[in-house]
Amino acid sequence: MAKLSTEELLGQFKDLTLLELSEFVKAFEEEFGVTAAAPVAVAAAAGAPGAPAEEAVEQDEFDVVLESAGDKKIQVIKEVRGLTSLGLKEAKDLVEGAPKAILEKVDKAAAEKAKEALEGAGATVTLK
């Protein structure tokens, strides 16, 4: 196999959907025994031992997690497609694979709006 340059690899990744890129990252982590989230966990663990977490700081980024689609799966798929740039198949796979994150690191207003829309369609949603 020919070796790809960094620019060529980035070009390939630009053509992937978010779902495909997420699957690639999982496969990469499994293949090489690494975790992309390790620096975040280390930074969080680096806080002073015994000191309470900074509870006074209000959370400003939220993840919208679909817990279950409920009885109206088609309506939930439509809402997921409206909230994301996913195609029909990707949105259907995401809804059927619940619990899954629909949106990550969005502001509180967008997270609340997405939660309301998904719950209106019959889904069970949590904000993290």
Side-chain angles (χ1 to χ4, degrees), residues 25 119-120:
V25 170
E119 287 178 343

Side-chain angles (χ1 to χ4, degrees), residues 42-103:
V42 170
E54 296 181 28
E55 294 176 25
V57 177
E58 185 176 332
Q59 183 178 354
D60 60 348
E61 290 185 339
F62 294 86
D63 292 347
V64 180
V65 179
L66 175 69
E67 298 296 334
S68 74
D71 295 335
K72 300 177 182 176
K73 187 165 64 170
I74 293 173
Q75 296 297 78
V76 174
I77 292 170
K78 287 181 181 179
E79 287 298 330
V80 168
R81 290 192 68 206
L83 294 169
T84 64
S85 61
L86 297 176
L88 180 60
K89 182 178 181 343
E90 291 88 359
K92 180 179 179 280
D93 291 344
L94 193 139
V95 169
E96 289 177 345
K100 294 273 186 167
I102 302 295
L103 298 172

Side-chain angles (χ1 to χ4, degrees), residues 20-36:
E20 291 169 333
L21 189 57
S22 174
E23 290 171 357
F24 170 78
V25 170
K26 287 177 187 173
F28 186 89
E29 290 173 344
E30 290 174 9
E31 178 71 25
F32 296 104
V34 296
T35 304

